[in-house]
Structure formats: C-alpha cells, structure tokens
Amino acid sequence: AMVHSFLIHTLCPVGALSCTESRVLYSRVFGADLTQTGPAGDREQESEARRLLQKEQLAVVARRQVRSVCALQREAAGRPGLHETGAVLGEEEAALQEADSGVLRLAEGDPFPREHTVVWLGVQALGFVLVCEAHENLLLAEGTLRSLARHCLEHLRLLGTGSEVLLKADRIEVLLHRLLPHGQLLFLNHRFKHSLDKELGACLAR
Amino acid sequence: MYASGTESLIKQARDIREEELQKFYSRISRLLHNKDYGLETIDSLQRLYLIVSSTKYGRTLPQDVLEKLQSLLCSPSTSEQLQALSSAILRESLPFDVEGLSVDFQDGRTVSYVATVTLTQARKKEEVCTLLHRLLRCLEPRQPEGQVSRHLLPILSKAMSLLPEILTEDHINLVSKKLVDWLWYTNIQQGAFLYSGGFFTGPRNRQPAPVTEVDGEVAADFFTVLCVGQNYTEDQWMSMYAFSMIRKWLLCYNSDGSGNADAAQHKKVLFSESVHHDDRSEVDGSVVSIISTSSTASRLLLPKERLREKAFEYCHRLIEQSDRKALKKSDTELQKACMIEAVTVMDIICREDPSFVYRAFPYVKALYGRVRRDLAYSRVLLPIAQFYLNHSETAAVDSEAVFRELFSIVPSEQFQEPMLAFEFTQFCRANVTVLSESVALYRQSFPNLFKFLAWNSPALISEYVELLPSLLVPENAIEILHSLLDLPCLTAAIDIQLRSPLSPRSDKFFLDQSVKVSSSMEAFRHPSYRGMFLYILRTEAGTGDTIDRLNGLHEILSDVADCPRVVQCAQTVPVLLNIFFNIVAQFGNKKLINQLVLVLLERSGLLFNIKNYKTEVQRVFSSHFLVLCKLQPSLIVEWSKELLDFTGTTGNISSKENLYTHVVWAIGEYLSVSYDKRCTVERITLFFETLEAVLFEITQVRQSASPPRFSPKVITMLMSTLAKLASRSQDLIPRVSLFLSKMRSFACSAPVTSCYSEEDIEEILTRANELINLLKLPSVAQFVLAPSQQGTSPRWHRDTNTCLPLAMRALSEVLQKGNDLLPA
C-alpha cells in the first residue's frame, strides 16, 4: 500500500492565473520512478528533465483533475463555487466537516505511465491530494488524507493568511515523516495516533 | 485562506535576481559554517526551500552550501526540523550525488530523512540497491544491535516497490521471516510507561498491563493493529508497520516463482540453510494461539509459506476483532479499513495457495453475514464479493446472495456515496469479463448501476465508458438506449428521492389522488405518477415500461431540469450514446438495427427538456442514423411510413433540423433498387411527392412571411434528394426541373436575403442550377446521382461544399461550359 505523492494546491482563482488554473503550494513525490530511466546520459540534464516532468504531472493532477471535479461537485451540490465558506482560525474541525471529497482514476499514460487513483479533499480554497497506486485501500487513504489535512490546517494555520504553507514546509515534512512515512499508509488506531500526535506536538512546538 | 500575499511570495521566489540569490547563498553558508542553528538559519533555510521548489526548472546550489546541507542532514545530532529542511531542499535542488551521503544506520530518524533524498534523487538502480542492501543487513539476525528501528520498514517498503526485482530469494526469505516475527510474536504487554508519581514516591515504573481490544477488554490473543495500549513497545510499532506493508509484500513476493530468475535454484539451498538458523520463528509453539488450531505446526515450512500462514491467521484475528464495538469512533473507521485489508490479503493468499480457500470461506462468509444490510459497511462488501468471485467455485460455495446484495441493493441505496461509487465501478472494471460472462445479475442490474453514474457523472463518466460495452447485448440494447436517454430523469428522480422527507414505505407518503400536482416533489408522492417513478428508479432490467407517458414525466420533472447535477448528467449522455451505437453497429443484428431506427425517430423529440440536451442528442442520432442505414439500407423501405411521416412534418425541420437533413439525405441515398428490389417507381414517387410538398411549403414566398428559421442546408439537401429520386424515376424530372428553376424567386426574396448570407444564397442558386443542368442528361444524372456504393463515408455530405459526390461538380462544370450545345 503505497502513495505516489501528496500535494496541496489552490482551488480558488489565483491572481495571475486564469480561473481554470491551480497553484501547487506544496508537493512531495515519494521516490523516483526508476522505470523511466533512459540510457545513461548527462546526469544533471536527466535530473532536470525528470524534475520538470514530475512538476508538470502534478500540475495536471491539480488543475485538470482535482480542481475541475471539485468545482463540478460543488456546483452539483449547490455549494458556492470554489470560494471560501468562512471558517476561520480555530475552526479547523468545522472546515474539515464541510470539506468536499472524492476519488478519481488517472488512466494509464495520463499523466503517469501507470494507472493511479487520486483521493482528494477540498477544504475551502485548498485541495489536499494523495495520488495512490491503483489498487489501494482507499478507506485507509481517505482517513490518512483527512488526518494530514487536519494537521496541516492546524500546524500551518491555513485558515489564516495561509502563507505558512510556503514558508514552513518543514512542518509538512515532519508531518509526512510520521503519518505517511515514504508514502506508506499506516493502520493507526487511536493510541498509535495519539503517540504520533504527541511526538508531532513536541517537534513542532519549537 | 489563500491571500494575495501568499501569491506574491511565490512570485518573489521565482523572480529573485541572480545577484541577490548569490548573496543569500553566502549568508546561508556563513550561518551553517558557524554552526548557528538559531531562528535566522531556520528562517533562511525555509526561504531557500521556497526558492528551490517554486520553479519548474531546478536551481543549482553552490558546492559549499550543498556539502553543508548534506552533512547537516546526515548528522544524528541535528534537530529534526533542520533535518527535515535540509532533506527537502536537497530533494528539490541540483546537482545531486546520492553517493555523497554517508549515514550511520543506527539512527533510524536520520536514515529516514536521508532516504527521502536518496529515493527521490536516485537516477540509477544501483543507488537504490545500495540503500536497500544496507537496510536488509540491519534485519539480519546476527546484527548486534538487535532491535531494528521502526523507521526502516517504510523505507524498505518504498524501495522494494520502486524496484521489486532487486531483492534476491535470500532477501525475500529474510524479510519474510522478520515479518512473521513482527506479525506473530509481538509482545502483548503494554510498553513501559514512565510516570512521575507523587512528590515523595518519586518516578516509578507502572506494572506492565496487557494491551486491550478496541472495546476495552483485555486482548484475547496476539497483538494486532486493533490492540490498544497506553504506550507501545518498539516491536508493537514494528508489528503495525509490518501489517501496513504486508499486502504489497505478498503481492510482490508471495508467488513461489517470483523474485529473481534463479529463484527456484536458490530455494533448495535456502531451505536446508534455514533449518540451521537459530531463529525463534522457525518452530511454532513459543506463543500459543487460541485461534490458530488449524495451523500446520508439525511441519517445517518455507519462510514464504510460514508468512502466508501467519498473515492468514492475523487477518482472521482482525476479522474477529472487527466485530467488537470500538470505544473510539476513529477505531470504528480503522476496523472497516482492517476488514477490507484482511479480506484482500486472504484473497491474495488463496490465489497463491488454494488450500487456504476452505479455511478462509467460513471467516469471509461470517463477515459477510455481519456486514450485509448495514449501509455503514457497504464498502467492505466489495472485497468480499471479489473473494467470492475468485474462489466460490473452488470451494463450491453459492455466491448468488452476495451478488444480489451487491447489485440489487447497494447501488439504489448508496448511489450518493462518491467513494463507494468509485470502488464499485472499479470492482466492475477489474472483473468485467467474468461478471459479464458468468454473473447474470450484473447485466440484469444495469438500471441500478446507472444510478451511480446519474449521481456522480463527471467523476464516473470515464469508468462507464469502459463498462458500457460489457452491459450491452442485443437483447437489452433497446432498453439501455431508453435508459441512457432518460439518464438525466434518473438524476432528477434520485435527487427528489433523496430530498423527500418521507420514505415511500411510510403510510403518509402518498398524497391523496385528488391533490393537484404542482411540483416534481409532489408528483413523486402522487399515486398517479407512482408507475413512472417506479420505472425510472427500477433496480433491474425488463421491469415496467412507461414510454407512452414519458412526456408526462418530463413535464413534471421540468422544475429540476436546470439543477446543476441534472445538467452535468445530461452532458455525459452523448458520450455514452456514441459508444452505444458503435457497439450496436458491431453486433450487426438486422432486427435490432431496424428496431433502433424506429426508437431513434420516436425519441428524437421525446427528451427531457434540458438546455442543449435535445440538440446534442439529435446530433449523435443523426450521425449514427446514417451508419445504421449503411449497415441496413433496406430499412428505408421497411420504415417507409414512419420516414414519410417524419420527413413530411415540417415542424421537424425547426425542432430537429440536424436529424431531419440526415434523414432526407439517407432517403436520397438509399431509396434505390440497387439496395432493395422493393424500391418501386410508386414508392419513389411517394417519397418524392412528400419531400416536394415540404420544399414547396418552406420556400413559399409571401411578402409578409417571416424569415426562414432553418439553415440553407435544409433547402440544398431537399433539392439534391428530389433530384436524386427523379433520376431514378425519370418521369419526375420535368417536375423537379421546373421546381428548381423557381428557386431564384425564393432565394432573392426579402425575408430570405434578410437572414441568409450572400454565400448561402449563392450556394442555393448554384446547387439548383447544377441540378437542372445535370437532369438535362438523364442517363448522366442517373450515374452521378446514384448511391455511392463504396469509397465514400456517409459523413461527407455534412459539409455543404461536398454535398454531392465530386463527380457531380466536375460534370456540372463540363456541362455548363457546353451549355449552348445542349437542347433547350
């Protein structure tokens, strides 16, 4: 049970971008895809190309898949577009309760060479996304994503101005290191979670 | 939440000037050199991460910064925050050489942060190999440190998922043994819990207590992820990580033939080796399990076999534990995830070793008994159904009830659950062949399966594009076509059903027969609409048919026709219709094609009134009508009466122009003795007269007349078709020539010039002229206007400029040049 990547991106229209675009605010790919290695060439060039491809693949997931499906889902449910509903700092739990969520399949070759499943959570103007391998325990992935989103909202104060998602990325790293180590989904009962929360609290308090 | 200030940070990071950036690098270098790990350093590194990560193209760090970040990352004494930052920066920037990272494998946390960099930046298999082999060395029993850090397992899991083939049979056996240890021999006492007693008593160790089950009772058997303790020991953590990765591991290495190429050769050697290993997991009996009575303890098993055995027992215990009432809500959710995982793992094990099937079925069956009819557990039904699908034949177990529950009940009660809907369709996709071949209920339940699509159409359309062919057979094609056309009605109906405060089972549900219905919600509760809603909401194919009253249903649902969900659904219908017709064309079933044409004509006007819906559906109908005619040209004769009715109704021009012109074209093309001997002169004349009357009616020029509400294409199409028919029954030629010669007065009349462009008028006149000239030479006309038997796709007529075969245009030009030579 492995996760390919985790991202946080915008669902709302962003300044310079058109309203169908999305800004990826944080992305983390767990492990390089070594099946795509070409013939041994210039290492630097290869790294550069790989990095570019990865960034573009994730942008596709954010923009074309999650953002548009989330917009359609909100429209179908009669909720007010992709704008903010108004929960403020301290109301993280409420914001999560109201969050939209869904799952989609990324077909083979679009944008990844192999088929993947995307689990997403739309909290107000932000999308939280796990790109999972095709046959994943989605119930577990969903729970993990919710827990990651909750921690991000709290530890990065995302219901405030939201700038910490860019300036305190180390916090997301620490969260992922505990809750989704190397993309491994974990079967955590409430006591395991409690222990990890305590560790996180201690580590992020500083 | 996402303020413009945040956006400007990204802009600044992207647009930073080179000079500024170099200064920034040297500041960081200085700070790190001075071992200043205070706020300023942290703040600078956080900004550095933003700078290196926010651009599409990687940034190259100066060598000294790179080296300092590497040594910061690799030192166990670095704070976690700094390790996290340096690993994040190194992952995102250039250049990188993973071999430059040296790390002490004693410190799990450091290894883990270093591994995030190695696994992302690795460009060669060998780089991951090196990491993996060092990790595996930590697992070897003769390692002095004894305890393995819990951070290592996820790295192992990721590395092997990147490169499953690099594990040798030795490695696989080693890890298999360790996994058995962690799953099976984990301490069942809680971890030591150090707490500072009172002021006088001083700190003391509390007596270790056994872990409990999720309902608070003392653990009944060995440790699993569903065991709760105040604190966990290191091996309990390992047990949790081990279970988390077991599915993937079994999928990769369960098979006896897996691993590297010389696996089989290795096997014998390893088997004899393993007997000598002093490893507690070799022989059963150190822990007595209450539920593992059936385990084959008497025989020494290969590591893989042992792992299978223990993983199976573990899953069995999880299934039993899932029946306990959890004290915490989050544990209830975990129980569900565990049920899914447990059944899936059992399935994997049974696929590899069918002897497990007989042991597994009682457990899976019992679980099914517990979760069926409980909507909260619907998602658990899917792996159970998968298990039945894979193994019920081996065990001679009847699976009918499971599939009935799955296909007849779940969709109609849970269509609004997006996750379930997705997993349900994935289940169908994964098993599409076996479902369509051997589970009759699958196809039978298509009206129920469509509910998922009707509710979640944007998210599920691509799944149904794949599933539709498997649902479709000649016997149900007509019903599926109606269902597809009424899909937006289904969306509306399930939406009303969901919003209805009363269930149809309630006494007060039905309104009095005399109540006048004023909304769709009232209609839903009105006895006289009951039949229609029952039809739309039916769970199985072939039950009820209220097509006669569809108009009434569309009317009563009109208040929800613009609701976004209904509109979204309507947008997906044309996609599916295209697929539908493509498959039906492949069946090549004559009777079916004939029937379809009739449905197509009938339903072209009988559609839910949603913006653009009719137009889009008619567009699809038009192109496929031609395909059907091409497959079965004699249908023009068989449905003469219906086609005459359709084309003779001028109202159809304004409401279904696209389809109308296609039908007219098809008449001109296929009403010919070369297709069907029954195309007698009388029949051709009958069509000719009907179309002539229509053309006459729509081109009547009255000064007071309003401008035409149809495109010029209708006119040119009618003219061409009349000419074609006349060429096949030459007595009609003078009639059509006379008619065509009058087109000028129509085309130049005021209402027409006011709404058609000059090119359009020109086109009409040229066409009329061409046809008149052509018909002057009846034998040539017969050749030029004859049906194009081959070579031309039925689509070419769509383009106004190629409305007739090129031959006609060419000939027409020749004829025009020699105009003077022709008899008047």
Side-chain angles (χ1 to χ4, degrees), chain B residues 387-398:
Chain B
F387 191 89
Y388 271 82
L389 206 56
N390 292 348
H391 308 294
S392 62
E393 208 169 306
T394 317
V397 172
D398 185 27

Side-chain angles (χ1 to χ4, degrees), chain A residues 15-105:
Chain A
L17 300 176
S18 84
C19 63
T20 54
E21 292 281 301
S22 172
R23 177 77 76 209
V24 175
L25 300 174
Y26 175 84
S27 68
R28 167 74 188 277
V29 176
F30 300 100
D33 184 356
L34 291 168
T35 56
Q36 288 180 69
T37 28
D42 181 353
R43 189 186 171 98
E44 197 143 325
Q45 254 180 8
E46 208 182 295
S47 301
E48 184 78 66
R50 181 86 58 86
R51 187 179 186 281
L52 183 63
L53 177 67
Q54 217 167 57
K55 293 252 170 203
E56 282 178 348
Q57 286 169 333
L58 295 179
V60 165
V61 173
R63 179 183 69 232
R64 210 178 58 214
Q65 313 283 350
V66 177
R67 199 210 62 84
S68 71
V69 165
C70 180
L72 288 167
Q73 188 168 314
R74 284 181 177 178
E75 184 194 47
R79 277 193 291 274
L82 293 174
H83 300 282
E84 324 211 347
T85 51
V88 292
L89 272 180
E91 298 176 356
E92 283 78 13
E93 208 50 55
L96 268 178
Q97 292 283 322
E98 291 169 6
D100 299 273
S101 64
V103 54
L104 358 124
R105 180 167 62 94

Side-chain angles (χ1 to χ4, degrees), chain B residues 27-92:
Chain B
R27 195 171 90 206
I28 288 174
S29 175
R30 201 177 51 246
L31 286 166
L32 293 179
H33 180 79
N34 295 339
K35 303 214 181 308
D36 173 353
Y37 302 133
L39 283 179
E40 193 191 344
T41 309
I42 287 169
D43 183 68
S44 303
L45 290 179
Q46 285 169 334
R47 279 166 200 278
L48 180 59
Y49 173 75
L50 178 61
I51 290 169
V52 295
S53 67
S54 64
T55 50
K56 257 189 186 176
Y57 296 92
R59 290 191 192 268
T60 308
L61 295 181
Q63 193 60 30
D64 68 319
V65 174
L66 189 72
E67 279 164 16
K68 289 190 174 93
L69 284 173
Q70 286 184 1
S71 68
L72 194 63
L73 171 65
C74 295
S75 156
S77 60
T78 307
S79 75
E80 183 167 355
Q81 185 178 25
L82 282 171
Q83 268 182 339
L85 267 173
S86 40
S87 76
I89 295 166
L90 290 172
R91 256 194 349 252
E92 287 282 350

